[in-house]
Amino acid sequence: MIRIPCPFCGPRDHAEFSYGGDGSITYPALDAPLEAWHDAVFLRVNICGRQVETWQHVHGCRLWLKVERDTMSHEIYSVTPADPALAKVLEGGE
Amino acid sequence: MTRFSGWNVLWQGMTGQKGWSRQWRDPQPKSHYDVIIVGGGLHGLATAYYLASNHGIRNIAVLEKSWLGGGNAGRNTTIVRSNYARPGNREFYEHSLKLWENLSHDLNYNVMFSQRSHIALLHSPGAIDGAARNYNTMRLTGTPDAEIWDLDRLKQAVPHLNYAPDARFPIMGAAVQTRAGTARHDAVAWGYARAADQLGVDIVQNCGVTGIVREAGRITALETPRGRITAGKIGFSVAGNTSRLWTMAGLGRLPIESHKLQAFVSEPLKPLLDQVVVFGMGGSHFYISQSDKGGMVFGGDLDWYKSYAQRGNLPIVQDVAEAAMSVMPCLGRVKLLRHWAGVVDMSMDGSHFICRTPLDNLYLNTGWNYGGFKASPASGWWFADLIANDRPAPMIANFDLKRFERGLQIDERGAGPDPKLHG
Ligand SMILES: Cc1cc2nc3c(=O)[nH]c(=O)nc-3n(C[C@H](O)[C@H](O)[C@H](O)COP(=O)(O)OP(=O)(O)OC[C@H]3O[C@@H](n4cnc5c(N)ncnc54)[C@H](O)[C@@H]3O)c2cc1C
Ligand SMILES: [Zn+2]
């Protein structure tokens, strides 16, 4: 079982979370060219090692989180709220 | 190498089993081959065999980083079927099933292919209608043995399922393919290896590709711990590790992700289940058959998060156990013998790729998700055809990396572009 330290709820088993997918993808603007959408929807780097991904704490605070995890060792390096504004507040910024 | 025959088995039995020779050589890799297949799983070995037998190419090597058949080839739940409904998949898997039907003879190796029926349970009138539509399409297009069974017929054939009206998911009927079944996965790997070796193919184990030398649009050499090897043409067939090799070759992104899938086997039991039974409802998924040794072989869904590690997790053990109890409550006191995981290449639409690549002499075979065991013969057949003739045959025309750009998704499950959802 992977333990994910949720910034709001503390460390919890990964079974409490739902896996979102590759967190390195930024979806293009709605009117961006088709190729940009094709790449974002269908193509993946598929890293073996440290990757950024999204998880939702469905059985806890229900927030979407950005998790930095090793896809081979399953070690977790960092967990922050996926919403940048919320992440900033937690860091003690504005 | 000794040819297997009834006479030979009898003779060896009378002379102490001392006359068998080794099944394939253990050659030193040469410095050059006409074709190199990277990956000694079933798809790689089958490709090498058909390159030699169908296309007369003899200077071939299969490079395998560990031991032959140690990847998904030896980790799957061995289900073989061709009940696919989408155009493209339908013809492809039916061709594969036809090859399975003669494989033991073709390879002179008993792969223990057992056509014991594949039974998919149906739990609602809508599911029965959907299955009837798919199975009628199959019957009309060359898969003759697709049937819809009512409850009475199912109860007779498979008495041990939970037919109670208060079952968690009451059973209403089943979609059945009678020519489908199972095969012994190790035997298939060994059979292809032996038959390919006999045709001169070098099968080189403990020889992983660790580097790729490129010049403009070609691969000029492969680096391995056993030296640098050059080749006219190169085929990648490495299941869950494709992206790592792709990156090594300096190529960009692919429409696949690596996920892991677990499987289970119980202690051996007396004969209990004659067929392959599959159950899928909502988020629950379960498939089970009984091996010839008596073990109940079963599995469920992916672990739901991306992984390159060949080890599983406990939440899935619980999921699968729950599904097992709702379908076959009689398994409740059966002990688990082993449980393991394999890394599979999950594609964006649940279908595979057998295609050319941006590099002139590199060919790609990937994206088998967790259903590629049944595909092994046809996959090897058509990948060999592609490599030998440098053009996709109509059978694999749409299994290229550009199909999404053309707006085509061969999405058997209708799950959309999310790899973890394609089973
Ligand atoms: C638990 C489980 C259950 C399954 N059940 C079924 C089923 O019931 N029915 C079905 O049809 N399919 C099933 N599958 C899917 C099926 O097993 C795979 O789709 C199929 O085996 C893929 O074949 P392959 O030859 O591509 O892969 P593999 O057998 O994994 O072969 C790839 C090989 O490449 C080697 N390799 C990797 N990197 C390198 C490198 N750099 N250099 C050299 N070699 C390298 C690996 O060591 C490996 O041996 C299941 C899979 C799993 C994991
Ligand atoms: Zn939380």
Side-chain angles (χ1 to χ4, degrees), chain B residues 38-39 41-43 63-65 71-73 75-79 208-209 237-239 241 261 263 342 368-374:
Chain B
V38 184
L42 287 172
H43 293 235
L63 304 185
E64 165 55 49
K65 78 168 174 199
N72 297 330
R75 291 167 194 263
N76 61 71
T77 43
T78 79
I79 300 169
V209 170
S237 196
V238 292
N241 284 301
L261 179 66
W368 294 101
N369 301 284
Y370 59 89
F373 174 65
K374 64 181 79 70

PDB file of all heavy atoms in Angstrom, chain B residues 38-39 41-43 63-65 71-73 75-79 208-209 237-239 241 261 263 342 368-374, ligand 1:
ATOM      1  N   VAL B  38      13.789  -7.005 -30.491  1.00  0.00           N
ATOM      2  CA  VAL B  38      14.106  -6.721 -29.090  1.00  0.00           C
ATOM      3  C   VAL B  38      12.917  -7.157 -28.240  1.00  0.00           C
ATOM      4  O   VAL B  38      11.803  -6.654 -28.430  1.00  0.00           O
ATOM      5  CB  VAL B  38      14.399  -5.220 -28.875  1.00  0.00           C
ATOM      6  CG1 VAL B  38      14.834  -4.967 -27.430  1.00  0.00           C
ATOM      7  CG2 VAL B  38      15.465  -4.739 -29.850  1.00  0.00           C
ATOM      8  N   GLY B  39      13.166  -8.092 -27.312  1.00  0.00           N
ATOM      9  CA  GLY B  39      12.105  -8.593 -26.437  1.00  0.00           C
ATOM     10  C   GLY B  39      11.776 -10.044 -26.738  1.00  0.00           C
ATOM     11  O   GLY B  39      11.242 -10.369 -27.801  1.00  0.00           O
ATOM     12  N   GLY B  41       9.516 -12.032 -25.446  1.00  0.00           N
ATOM     13  CA  GLY B  41       8.198 -12.486 -24.990  1.00  0.00           C
ATOM     14  C   GLY B  41       7.559 -13.257 -26.140  1.00  0.00           C
ATOM     15  O   GLY B  41       8.198 -13.568 -27.143  1.00  0.00           O
ATOM     16  N   LEU B  42       6.264 -13.537 -25.999  1.00  0.00           N
ATOM     17  CA  LEU B  42       5.595 -14.321 -27.036  1.00  0.00           C
ATOM     18  C   LEU B  42       5.554 -13.591 -28.365  1.00  0.00           C
ATOM     19  O   LEU B  42       5.712 -14.203 -29.418  1.00  0.00           O
ATOM     20  CB  LEU B  42       4.177 -14.661 -26.587  1.00  0.00           C
ATOM     21  CG  LEU B  42       4.151 -15.726 -25.507  1.00  0.00           C
ATOM     22  CD1 LEU B  42       2.764 -15.887 -24.963  1.00  0.00           C
ATOM     23  CD2 LEU B  42       4.664 -17.025 -26.084  1.00  0.00           C
ATOM     24  N   HIS B  43       5.343 -12.268 -28.310  1.00  0.00           N
ATOM     25  CA  HIS B  43       5.225 -11.540 -29.570  1.00  0.00           C
ATOM     26  C   HIS B  43       6.557 -11.501 -30.305  1.00  0.00           C
ATOM     27  O   HIS B  43       6.611 -11.660 -31.524  1.00  0.00           O
ATOM     28  CB  HIS B  43       4.690 -10.130 -29.317  1.00  0.00           C
ATOM     29  CG  HIS B  43       3.269 -10.130 -28.837  1.00  0.00           C
ATOM     30  ND1 HIS B  43       2.268  -9.429 -29.449  1.00  0.00           N
ATOM     31  CD2 HIS B  43       2.676 -10.788 -27.804  1.00  0.00           C
ATOM     32  CE1 HIS B  43       1.115  -9.642 -28.817  1.00  0.00           C
ATOM     33  NE2 HIS B  43       1.353 -10.454 -27.807  1.00  0.00           N
ATOM     34  N   LEU B  63      16.719 -10.533 -28.936  1.00  0.00           N
ATOM     35  CA  LEU B  63      17.495 -10.138 -27.761  1.00  0.00           C
ATOM     36  C   LEU B  63      16.560  -9.978 -26.570  1.00  0.00           C
ATOM     37  O   LEU B  63      15.590  -9.214 -26.624  1.00  0.00           O
ATOM     38  CB  LEU B  63      18.221  -8.808 -28.013  1.00  0.00           C
ATOM     39  CG  LEU B  63      19.156  -8.742 -29.224  1.00  0.00           C
ATOM     40  CD1 LEU B  63      19.876  -7.391 -29.258  1.00  0.00           C
ATOM     41  CD2 LEU B  63      20.163  -9.880 -29.214  1.00  0.00           C
ATOM     42  N   GLU B  64      16.851 -10.692 -25.504  1.00  0.00           N
ATOM     43  CA  GLU B  64      15.984 -10.667 -24.316  1.00  0.00           C
ATOM     44  C   GLU B  64      16.815 -10.245 -23.107  1.00  0.00           C
ATOM     45  O   GLU B  64      17.861 -10.821 -22.842  1.00  0.00           O
ATOM     46  CB  GLU B  64      15.361 -12.049 -24.097  1.00  0.00           C
ATOM     47  CG  GLU B  64      14.731 -12.287 -22.727  1.00  0.00           C
ATOM     48  CD  GLU B  64      13.681 -11.253 -22.336  1.00  0.00           C
ATOM     49  OE1 GLU B  64      12.791 -10.966 -23.144  1.00  0.00           O
ATOM     50  OE2 GLU B  64      13.768 -10.729 -21.195  1.00  0.00           O
ATOM     51  N   LYS B  65      16.330  -9.254 -22.368  1.00  0.00           N
ATOM     52  CA  LYS B  65      17.160  -8.721 -21.275  1.00  0.00           C
ATOM     53  C   LYS B  65      17.290  -9.692 -20.103  1.00  0.00           C
ATOM     54  O   LYS B  65      18.283  -9.674 -19.402  1.00  0.00           O
ATOM     55  CB  LYS B  65      16.642  -7.364 -20.804  1.00  0.00           C
ATOM     56  CG  LYS B  65      15.431  -7.432 -19.918  1.00  0.00           C
ATOM     57  CD  LYS B  65      15.144  -6.088 -19.263  1.00  0.00           C
ATOM     58  CE  LYS B  65      13.838  -6.204 -18.510  1.00  0.00           C
ATOM     59  NZ  LYS B  65      13.174  -4.988 -18.184  1.00  0.00           N
ATOM     60  N   GLY B  71       8.649 -12.123 -18.896  1.00  0.00           N
ATOM     61  CA  GLY B  71       7.788 -10.933 -18.801  1.00  0.00           C
ATOM     62  C   GLY B  71       6.333 -11.364 -18.708  1.00  0.00           C
ATOM     63  O   GLY B  71       5.990 -12.334 -18.022  1.00  0.00           O
ATOM     64  N   ASN B  72       5.482 -10.667 -19.427  1.00  0.00           N
ATOM     65  CA  ASN B  72       4.057 -10.994 -19.374  1.00  0.00           C
ATOM     66  C   ASN B  72       3.754 -12.354 -19.980  1.00  0.00           C
ATOM     67  O   ASN B  72       2.710 -12.942 -19.685  1.00  0.00           O
ATOM     68  CB  ASN B  72       3.249  -9.921 -20.093  1.00  0.00           C
ATOM     69  CG  ASN B  72       3.393  -8.587 -19.401  1.00  0.00           C
ATOM     70  OD1 ASN B  72       3.594  -8.531 -18.191  1.00  0.00           O
ATOM     71  ND2 ASN B  72       3.334  -7.521 -20.154  1.00  0.00           N
ATOM     72  N   ALA B  73       4.659 -12.845 -20.821  1.00  0.00           N
ATOM     73  CA  ALA B  73       4.463 -14.163 -21.432  1.00  0.00           C
ATOM     74  C   ALA B  73       4.200 -15.210 -20.352  1.00  0.00           C
ATOM     75  O   ALA B  73       3.369 -16.092 -20.525  1.00  0.00           O
ATOM     76  CB  ALA B  73       5.679 -14.546 -22.263  1.00  0.00           C
ATOM     77  N   ARG B  75       3.265 -14.496 -17.138  1.00  0.00           N
ATOM     78  CA  ARG B  75       2.526 -13.929 -16.007  1.00  0.00           C
ATOM     79  C   ARG B  75       1.032 -13.819 -16.266  1.00  0.00           C
ATOM     80  O   ARG B  75       0.276 -13.394 -15.393  1.00  0.00           O
ATOM     81  CB  ARG B  75       3.051 -12.515 -15.699  1.00  0.00           C
ATOM     82  CG  ARG B  75       4.445 -12.515 -15.134  1.00  0.00           C
ATOM     83  CD  ARG B  75       5.056 -11.113 -15.145  1.00  0.00           C
ATOM     84  NE  ARG B  75       6.476 -11.208 -14.904  1.00  0.00           N
ATOM     85  CZ  ARG B  75       7.046 -11.047 -13.712  1.00  0.00           C
ATOM     86  NH1 ARG B  75       6.316 -10.748 -12.675  1.00  0.00           N
ATOM     87  NH2 ARG B  75       8.345 -11.191 -13.581  1.00  0.00           N
ATOM     88  N   ASN B  76       0.586 -14.148 -17.470  1.00  0.00           N
ATOM     89  CA  ASN B  76      -0.821 -13.874 -17.783  1.00  0.00           C
ATOM     90  C   ASN B  76      -1.737 -15.021 -17.348  1.00  0.00           C
ATOM     91  O   ASN B  76      -1.279 -16.084 -16.945  1.00  0.00           O
ATOM     92  CB  ASN B  76      -0.980 -13.565 -19.274  1.00  0.00           C
ATOM     93  CG  ASN B  76      -0.543 -14.723 -20.124  1.00  0.00           C
ATOM     94  OD1 ASN B  76      -1.205 -15.735 -20.177  1.00  0.00           O
ATOM     95  ND2 ASN B  76       0.608 -14.590 -20.759  1.00  0.00           N
ATOM     96  N   THR B  77      -3.035 -14.782 -17.467  1.00  0.00           N
ATOM     97  CA  THR B  77      -4.015 -15.777 -17.032  1.00  0.00           C
ATOM     98  C   THR B  77      -4.449 -16.686 -18.188  1.00  0.00           C
ATOM     99  O   THR B  77      -5.470 -17.369 -18.081  1.00  0.00           O
ATOM    100  CB  THR B  77      -5.232 -15.103 -16.375  1.00  0.00           C
ATOM    101  OG1 THR B  77      -5.589 -13.964 -17.147  1.00  0.00           O
ATOM    102  CG2 THR B  77      -4.917 -14.643 -14.972  1.00  0.00           C
ATOM    103  N   THR B  78      -3.739 -16.629 -19.293  1.00  0.00           N
ATOM    104  CA  THR B  78      -3.779 -17.590 -20.416  1.00  0.00           C
ATOM    105  C   THR B  78      -5.105 -17.687 -21.177  1.00  0.00           C
ATOM    106  O   THR B  78      -5.379 -18.693 -21.816  1.00  0.00           O
ATOM    107  CB  THR B  78      -3.376 -19.027 -19.960  1.00  0.00           C
ATOM    108  OG1 THR B  78      -4.470 -19.660 -19.295  1.00  0.00           O
ATOM    109  CG2 THR B  78      -2.162 -19.030 -19.067  1.00  0.00           C
ATOM    110  N   ILE B  79      -5.911 -16.645 -21.136  1.00  0.00           N
ATOM    111  CA  ILE B  79      -7.207 -16.728 -21.825  1.00  0.00           C
ATOM    112  C   ILE B  79      -7.041 -16.410 -23.319  1.00  0.00           C
ATOM    113  O   ILE B  79      -6.414 -15.414 -23.681  1.00  0.00           O
ATOM    114  CB  ILE B  79      -8.232 -15.770 -21.189  1.00  0.00           C
ATOM    115  CG1 ILE B  79      -8.437 -16.146 -19.717  1.00  0.00           C
ATOM    116  CG2 ILE B  79      -9.561 -15.810 -21.947  1.00  0.00           C
ATOM    117  CD1 ILE B  79      -9.215 -15.117 -18.916  1.00  0.00           C
ATOM    118  N   GLY B 208      19.979  -7.459 -22.717  1.00  0.00           N
ATOM    119  CA  GLY B 208      19.049  -6.343 -22.879  1.00  0.00           C
ATOM    120  C   GLY B 208      19.675  -5.222 -23.693  1.00  0.00           C
ATOM    121  O   GLY B 208      20.883  -5.018 -23.650  1.00  0.00           O
ATOM    122  N   VAL B 209      18.834  -4.516 -24.429  1.00  0.00           N
ATOM    123  CA  VAL B 209      19.327  -3.345 -25.158  1.00  0.00           C
ATOM    124  C   VAL B 209      19.440  -2.190 -24.166  1.00  0.00           C
ATOM    125  O   VAL B 209      18.467  -1.821 -23.508  1.00  0.00           O
ATOM    126  CB  VAL B 209      18.369  -2.984 -26.315  1.00  0.00           C
ATOM    127  CG1 VAL B 209      18.739  -1.642 -26.923  1.00  0.00           C
ATOM    128  CG2 VAL B 209      18.403  -4.095 -27.359  1.00  0.00           C
ATOM    129  N   SER B 237       9.512  -5.161 -29.349  1.00  0.00           N
ATOM    130  CA  SER B 237       8.376  -5.964 -28.898  1.00  0.00           C
ATOM    131  C   SER B 237       8.555  -6.224 -27.407  1.00  0.00           C
ATOM    132  O   SER B 237       8.740  -7.344 -26.985  1.00  0.00           O
ATOM    133  CB  SER B 237       8.384  -7.267 -29.697  1.00  0.00           C
ATOM    134  OG  SER B 237       7.179  -7.913 -29.590  1.00  0.00           O
ATOM    135  N   VAL B 238       8.534  -5.139 -26.625  1.00  0.00           N
ATOM    136  CA  VAL B 238       8.941  -5.247 -25.220  1.00  0.00           C
ATOM    137  C   VAL B 238       7.828  -4.908 -24.225  1.00  0.00           C
ATOM    138  O   VAL B 238       8.092  -4.535 -23.082  1.00  0.00           O
ATOM    139  CB  VAL B 238      10.174  -4.353 -24.926  1.00  0.00           C
ATOM    140  CG1 VAL B 238      11.389  -4.881 -25.646  1.00  0.00           C
ATOM    141  CG2 VAL B 238       9.915  -2.907 -25.312  1.00  0.00           C
ATOM    142  N   ALA B 239       6.580  -5.055 -24.642  1.00  0.00           N
ATOM    143  CA  ALA B 239       5.435  -4.819 -23.762  1.00  0.00           C
ATOM    144  C   ALA B 239       5.610  -3.545 -22.937  1.00  0.00           C
ATOM    145  O   ALA B 239       5.912  -2.491 -23.508  1.00  0.00           O
ATOM    146  CB  ALA B 239       5.181  -6.033 -22.878  1.00  0.00           C
ATOM    147  N   ASN B 241       7.724  -1.956 -21.466  1.00  0.00           N
ATOM    148  CA  ASN B 241       8.960  -1.168 -21.479  1.00  0.00           C
ATOM    149  C   ASN B 241       9.187  -0.384 -22.767  1.00  0.00           C
ATOM    150  O   ASN B 241      10.277   0.163 -22.983  1.00  0.00           O
ATOM    151  CB  ASN B 241      10.158  -2.085 -21.231  1.00  0.00           C
ATOM    152  CG  ASN B 241      10.258  -2.460 -19.768  1.00  0.00           C
ATOM    153  OD1 ASN B 241      10.383  -1.584 -18.919  1.00  0.00           O
ATOM    154  ND2 ASN B 241      10.147  -3.738 -19.471  1.00  0.00           N
ATOM    155  N   LEU B 261      -0.711  -5.224 -13.737  1.00  0.00           N
ATOM    156  CA  LEU B 261      -1.888  -6.065 -13.585  1.00  0.00           C
ATOM    157  C   LEU B 261      -1.492  -7.273 -12.765  1.00  0.00           C
ATOM    158  O   LEU B 261      -0.426  -7.850 -12.969  1.00  0.00           O
ATOM    159  CB  LEU B 261      -2.375  -6.520 -14.970  1.00  0.00           C
ATOM    160  CG  LEU B 261      -3.592  -7.440 -14.985  1.00  0.00           C
ATOM    161  CD1 LEU B 261      -4.826  -6.704 -14.481  1.00  0.00           C
ATOM    162  CD2 LEU B 261      -3.850  -7.954 -16.399  1.00  0.00           C
ATOM    163  N   ALA B 263      -2.290 -11.174 -10.997  1.00  0.00           N
ATOM    164  CA  ALA B 263      -3.020 -12.425 -11.208  1.00  0.00           C
ATOM    165  C   ALA B 263      -2.792 -13.324 -10.003  1.00  0.00           C
ATOM    166  O   ALA B 263      -1.878 -13.093  -9.202  1.00  0.00           O
ATOM    167  CB  ALA B 263      -2.570 -13.113 -12.483  1.00  0.00           C
ATOM    168  N   GLY B 342       2.392  -8.124 -13.564  1.00  0.00           N
ATOM    169  CA  GLY B 342       3.147  -7.879 -14.790  1.00  0.00           C
ATOM    170  C   GLY B 342       2.935  -6.440 -15.234  1.00  0.00           C
ATOM    171  O   GLY B 342       1.918  -5.830 -14.897  1.00  0.00           O
ATOM    172  N   TRP B 368      -0.540  -3.810 -26.179  1.00  0.00           N
ATOM    173  CA  TRP B 368      -1.417  -4.991 -26.077  1.00  0.00           C
ATOM    174  C   TRP B 368      -2.289  -4.962 -24.836  1.00  0.00           C
ATOM    175  O   TRP B 368      -3.059  -5.882 -24.591  1.00  0.00           O
ATOM    176  CB  TRP B 368      -0.577  -6.273 -26.142  1.00  0.00           C
ATOM    177  CG  TRP B 368       0.024  -6.370 -27.486  1.00  0.00           C
ATOM    178  CD1 TRP B 368       1.308  -6.061 -27.850  1.00  0.00           C
ATOM    179  CD2 TRP B 368      -0.643  -6.716 -28.710  1.00  0.00           C
ATOM    180  NE1 TRP B 368       1.471  -6.200 -29.197  1.00  0.00           N
ATOM    181  CE2 TRP B 368       0.292  -6.603 -29.747  1.00  0.00           C
ATOM    182  CE3 TRP B 368      -1.939  -7.109 -29.014  1.00  0.00           C
ATOM    183  CZ2 TRP B 368      -0.036  -6.860 -31.082  1.00  0.00           C
ATOM    184  CZ3 TRP B 368      -2.270  -7.370 -30.327  1.00  0.00           C
ATOM    185  CH2 TRP B 368      -1.321  -7.252 -31.340  1.00  0.00           C
ATOM    186  N   ASN B 369      -2.135  -3.936 -24.042  1.00  0.00           N
ATOM    187  CA  ASN B 369      -2.961  -3.825 -22.845  1.00  0.00           C
ATOM    188  C   ASN B 369      -2.872  -5.121 -22.052  1.00  0.00           C
ATOM    189  O   ASN B 369      -1.803  -5.697 -22.004  1.00  0.00           O
ATOM    190  CB  ASN B 369      -4.393  -3.469 -23.242  1.00  0.00           C
ATOM    191  CG  ASN B 369      -4.405  -2.154 -24.000  1.00  0.00           C
ATOM    192  OD1 ASN B 369      -4.282  -1.116 -23.397  1.00  0.00           O
ATOM    193  ND2 ASN B 369      -4.462  -2.196 -25.312  1.00  0.00           N
ATOM    194  N   TYR B 370      -3.978  -5.539 -21.447  1.00  0.00           N
ATOM    195  CA  TYR B 370      -3.811  -6.831 -20.791  1.00  0.00           C
ATOM    196  C   TYR B 370      -4.551  -7.958 -21.493  1.00  0.00           C
ATOM    197  O   TYR B 370      -4.991  -8.897 -20.895  1.00  0.00           O
ATOM    198  CB  TYR B 370      -4.012  -6.790 -19.283  1.00  0.00           C
ATOM    199  CG  TYR B 370      -5.300  -6.327 -18.668  1.00  0.00           C
ATOM    200  CD1 TYR B 370      -6.337  -7.216 -18.412  1.00  0.00           C
ATOM    201  CD2 TYR B 370      -5.428  -5.019 -18.245  1.00  0.00           C
ATOM    202  CE1 TYR B 370      -7.480  -6.802 -17.775  1.00  0.00           C
ATOM    203  CE2 TYR B 370      -6.586  -4.597 -17.608  1.00  0.00           C
ATOM    204  CZ  TYR B 370      -7.613  -5.490 -17.379  1.00  0.00           C
ATOM    205  OH  TYR B 370      -8.734  -5.072 -16.723  1.00  0.00           O
ATOM    206  N   GLY B 371      -4.594  -7.858 -22.818  1.00  0.00           N
ATOM    207  CA  GLY B 371      -5.224  -8.931 -23.577  1.00  0.00           C
ATOM    208  C   GLY B 371      -4.366  -9.479 -24.694  1.00  0.00           C
ATOM    209  O   GLY B 371      -4.876 -10.057 -25.639  1.00  0.00           O
ATOM    210  N   GLY B 372      -3.062  -9.334 -24.593  1.00  0.00           N
ATOM    211  CA  GLY B 372      -2.211  -9.666 -25.731  1.00  0.00           C
ATOM    212  C   GLY B 372      -1.733 -11.103 -25.826  1.00  0.00           C
ATOM    213  O   GLY B 372      -1.067 -11.463 -26.792  1.00  0.00           O
ATOM    214  N   PHE B 373      -2.075 -11.940 -24.851  1.00  0.00           N
ATOM    215  CA  PHE B 373      -1.641 -13.341 -24.938  1.00  0.00           C
ATOM    216  C   PHE B 373      -2.317 -14.019 -26.131  1.00  0.00           C
ATOM    217  O   PHE B 373      -1.674 -14.634 -26.979  1.00  0.00           O
ATOM    218  CB  PHE B 373      -1.969 -14.073 -23.636  1.00  0.00           C
ATOM    219  CG  PHE B 373      -1.688 -15.549 -23.676  1.00  0.00           C
ATOM    220  CD1 PHE B 373      -0.396 -16.020 -23.824  1.00  0.00           C
ATOM    221  CD2 PHE B 373      -2.726 -16.476 -23.571  1.00  0.00           C
ATOM    222  CE1 PHE B 373      -0.137 -17.393 -23.867  1.00  0.00           C
ATOM    223  CE2 PHE B 373      -2.476 -17.841 -23.609  1.00  0.00           C
ATOM    224  CZ  PHE B 373      -1.181 -18.297 -23.765  1.00  0.00           C
ATOM    225  N   LYS B 374      -3.646 -13.866 -26.201  1.00  0.00           N
ATOM    226  CA  LYS B 374      -4.410 -14.476 -27.293  1.00  0.00           C
ATOM    227  C   LYS B 374      -3.937 -13.997 -28.656  1.00  0.00           C
ATOM    228  O   LYS B 374      -4.089 -14.664 -29.660  1.00  0.00           O
ATOM    229  CB  LYS B 374      -5.890 -14.129 -27.130  1.00  0.00           C
ATOM    230  CG  LYS B 374      -6.160 -12.635 -27.248  1.00  0.00           C
ATOM    231  CD  LYS B 374      -7.618 -12.271 -27.066  1.00  0.00           C
ATOM    232  CE  LYS B 374      -8.065 -12.244 -25.636  1.00  0.00           C
ATOM    233  NZ  LYS B 374      -7.501 -11.122 -24.852  1.00  0.00           N
TER     234      LYS B 374
HETATM  235  C1  LIG C   1      -1.446 -10.609 -14.894  1.00  0.00           C
HETATM  236  C2  LIG C   1      -1.685 -10.617 -16.385  1.00  0.00           C
HETATM  237  C3  LIG C   1      -2.744 -11.356 -16.916  1.00  0.00           C
HETATM  238  C4  LIG C   1      -2.971 -11.382 -18.295  1.00  0.00           C
HETATM  239  N1  LIG C   1      -3.961 -12.185 -18.788  1.00  0.00           N
HETATM  240  C5  LIG C   1      -4.142 -12.305 -20.129  1.00  0.00           C
HETATM  241  C6  LIG C   1      -5.101 -13.223 -20.649  1.00  0.00           C
HETATM  242  O1  LIG C   1      -5.767 -13.956 -19.904  1.00  0.00           O
HETATM  243  N2  LIG C   1      -5.275 -13.282 -21.994  1.00  0.00           N
HETATM  244  C7  LIG C   1      -4.576 -12.484 -22.845  1.00  0.00           C
HETATM  245  O2  LIG C   1      -4.794 -12.561 -24.061  1.00  0.00           O
HETATM  246  N3  LIG C   1      -3.612 -11.631 -22.377  1.00  0.00           N
HETATM  247  C8  LIG C   1      -3.369 -11.530 -21.042  1.00  0.00           C
HETATM  248  N4  LIG C   1      -2.394 -10.678 -20.553  1.00  0.00           N
HETATM  249  C9  LIG C   1      -1.637  -9.838 -21.497  1.00  0.00           C
HETATM  250  C10 LIG C   1      -0.481 -10.563 -22.155  1.00  0.00           C
HETATM  251  O3  LIG C   1       0.249 -11.316 -21.203  1.00  0.00           O
HETATM  252  C11 LIG C   1       0.449  -9.542 -22.838  1.00  0.00           C
HETATM  253  O4  LIG C   1      -0.301  -8.672 -23.647  1.00  0.00           O
HETATM  254  C12 LIG C   1       1.465 -10.225 -23.728  1.00  0.00           C
HETATM  255  O5  LIG C   1       2.175 -11.208 -23.003  1.00  0.00           O
HETATM  256  C13 LIG C   1       2.432  -9.215 -24.297  1.00  0.00           C
HETATM  257  O6  LIG C   1       3.409  -9.919 -25.019  1.00  0.00           O
HETATM  258  P1  LIG C   1       4.841  -9.340 -25.257  1.00  0.00           P
HETATM  259  O7  LIG C   1       5.616 -10.377 -25.977  1.00  0.00           O
HETATM  260  O8  LIG C   1       4.684  -8.012 -25.889  1.00  0.00           O
HETATM  261  O9  LIG C   1       5.380  -9.054 -23.793  1.00  0.00           O
HETATM  262  P2  LIG C   1       6.375  -9.816 -22.748  1.00  0.00           P
HETATM  263  O10 LIG C   1       6.072 -11.261 -22.637  1.00  0.00           O
HETATM  264  O11 LIG C   1       6.321  -9.003 -21.527  1.00  0.00           O
HETATM  265  O12 LIG C   1       7.752  -9.682 -23.500  1.00  0.00           O
HETATM  266  C14 LIG C   1       8.519  -8.513 -23.537  1.00  0.00           C
HETATM  267  C15 LIG C   1       9.946  -8.901 -23.216  1.00  0.00           C
HETATM  268  O13 LIG C   1      10.794  -7.783 -23.488  1.00  0.00           O
HETATM  269  C16 LIG C   1      11.871  -7.840 -22.580  1.00  0.00           C
HETATM  270  N5  LIG C   1      12.532  -6.530 -22.543  1.00  0.00           N
HETATM  271  C17 LIG C   1      12.104  -5.388 -21.966  1.00  0.00           C
HETATM  272  N6  LIG C   1      13.002  -4.401 -22.147  1.00  0.00           N
HETATM  273  C18 LIG C   1      14.029  -4.934 -22.871  1.00  0.00           C
HETATM  274  C19 LIG C   1      15.255  -4.417 -23.378  1.00  0.00           C
HETATM  275  N7  LIG C   1      15.627  -3.155 -23.160  1.00  0.00           N
HETATM  276  N8  LIG C   1      16.062  -5.266 -24.083  1.00  0.00           N
HETATM  277  C20 LIG C   1      15.699  -6.548 -24.294  1.00  0.00           C
HETATM  278  N9  LIG C   1      14.557  -7.080 -23.827  1.00  0.00           N
HETATM  279  C21 LIG C   1      13.730  -6.288 -23.130  1.00  0.00           C
HETATM  280  C22 LIG C   1      11.209  -8.256 -21.280  1.00  0.00           C
HETATM  281  O14 LIG C   1      12.166  -8.832 -20.380  1.00  0.00           O
HETATM  282  C23 LIG C   1      10.164  -9.262 -21.747  1.00  0.00           C
HETATM  283  O15 LIG C   1      10.599 -10.602 -21.666  1.00  0.00           O
HETATM  284  C24 LIG C   1      -2.150 -10.616 -19.172  1.00  0.00           C
HETATM  285  C25 LIG C   1      -1.096  -9.861 -18.644  1.00  0.00           C
HETATM  286  C26 LIG C   1      -0.850  -9.867 -17.268  1.00  0.00           C
HETATM  287  C27 LIG C   1       0.308  -9.067 -16.719  1.00  0.00           C
END
